[in-house]
Amino acid sequence: MILKDKVVIITGAGPGMGQAVCRGAAAEGARVVISARSVDAINTLRDEIVAAGGQAIAVPCDVAETDQCQALAQAAIDQWGRIDGLVNSAYYHPDWGPLDAHAIEQVLQAMNVNAVGALRMAQAVIPTMKAQKAGAIVNVSTLATRKPMPGEGGYAMAKAALNQMTCQLAVELGGTGIRVNTALMGWMMGAPLHGFIAGLGEGGPAFQAQRASEIPVGHIPPDKDCAKAVYFLLSDYASEVTGAALDVNGGDWVAP
């Protein structure tokens, strides 16, 4: 249990990666603060984790609102007295389409949630982590910032800003005991992708098989397994790792 007794805040705990991280972190011994805008979804996930023997609380939060981010951090302190980890998993994805046709309002919203929202959360937890002289922030990013994919321009722009935030904070927080890293996720098999494939109708299975054949590991990585990279970056096993960008994509993009 590499996260035993660590208090970890996870934003964006909706279907897919966010929920996978919450479940897995709890299984690794973390005391999990589950957060998303949907009260019903986070309460259901909390109940599931507690029923399985884990420790979790559910706190609704829109990361586009500074006061809600501050309240989320305070809820963790009120419950468990500290904050050991923050996983910035909340995201907004503009409508799919070419970047030159993206609605600017949607691009701005992506920036506000994916990048600025993560900064709001970082600002909310950093004072506590500084006082503890320890803490880990993991920013969940995307392969699309490495390997541009048509239709994802606005989303990728915002996540690229998140990547830079990692680098900036890692340097600026040097000597405080706080580490900041990025996990860049590629195609992941989970609820969102299942929904996308189902939407393709009869062509869905063929699309899935082709996509799997193009990934060196031979399959589309399950989100629950990709989440393990996040636990590593949160854990003491990564005590000497900060400012890093870890690619988690089954070899779909290979770093130079």
Side-chain angles (χ1 to χ4, degrees):
M1 302 178 80
I2 64 173
L3 299 178
K4 186 171 174 54
D5 295 331
K6 290 186 181 295
V7 177
V8 179
I9 297 172
I10 301 167
T11 69
M17 185 64 186
Q19 289 191 3
V21 172
C22 289
R23 292 187 183 98
E28 289 291 348
R31 292 174 282 187
V32 180
V33 184
I34 306 166
S35 182
R37 290 182 300 169
S38 172
V39 175
D40 290 343
I42 62 176
N43 285 347
T44 298
L45 182 57
R46 174 204 60 205
D47 293 346
E48 175 190 328
I49 289 172
V50 171
Q55 298 184 70
I57 60 171
V59 183
C61 177
D62 180 350
V63 298
E65 301 294 335
T66 301
D67 59 341
Q68 293 187 34
C69 294
Q70 294 290 334
L72 175 56
Q74 189 60 49
I77 296 167
D78 291 345
Q79 182 71 22
W80 284 305
R82 60 185 296 111
I83 301 170
D84 299 294
L86 166 65
V87 180
N88 280 314
S89 185
Y91 76 95
Y92 170 81
H93 198 306
D95 294 338
W96 284 74
L99 185 56
D100 65 341
H102 265 355
I104 294 299
E105 293 78 11
Q106 291 190 3
V107 176
L108 290 172
Q109 179 67 357
M111 288 288 187
N112 192 27
V113 174
N114 301 352
V116 183
L119 179 58
R120 290 188 186 96
M121 281 305 311
Q123 290 178 338
V125 304
I126 284 171
T128 297
M129 290 181 174
K130 280 184 174 179
Q132 297 167 176
K133 298 186 181 346
I137 298 172
V138 180
N139 296 319
V140 178
S141 188
T142 173
L143 171 66
T145 63
R146 305 283 213 195
K147 182 180 179 181
M149 179 176 177
E152 291 209 272
Y155 174 70
M157 283 177 59
K159 287 294 192 178
L162 178 65
N163 297 351
Q164 180 59 31
M165 189 189 94
T166 291
C167 300
Q168 196 73 28
L169 287 179
V171 171
E172 292 182 354
L173 293 172
T176 64
I178 303 172
R179 300 181 296 101
V180 190
N181 293 290
T182 301
L184 296 96
M185 302 298 173
W187 286 76
M188 291 185 294
M189 190 54 70
L193 185 54
H194 281 302
F196 174 77
I197 292 171
L200 297 177
E202 293 182 357
F207 171 84
Q208 180 176 341
Q210 178 182 341
R211 188 78 274 271
S213 71
E214 295 165 346
I215 299 175
V217 295
H219 59 264
I220 299 174
D223 54 12
K224 64 183 180 63
D225 291 327
C226 294
K228 294 172 183 176
V230 176
Y231 317 147
F232 164 70
L233 292 172
L234 288 170
S235 78
D236 294 340
Y237 285 105
S239 64
E240 309 310 307
V241 181
T242 193
L246 178 58
D247 293 291
V248 189
N249 56 54
D252 201 9
W253 186 88
V254 180

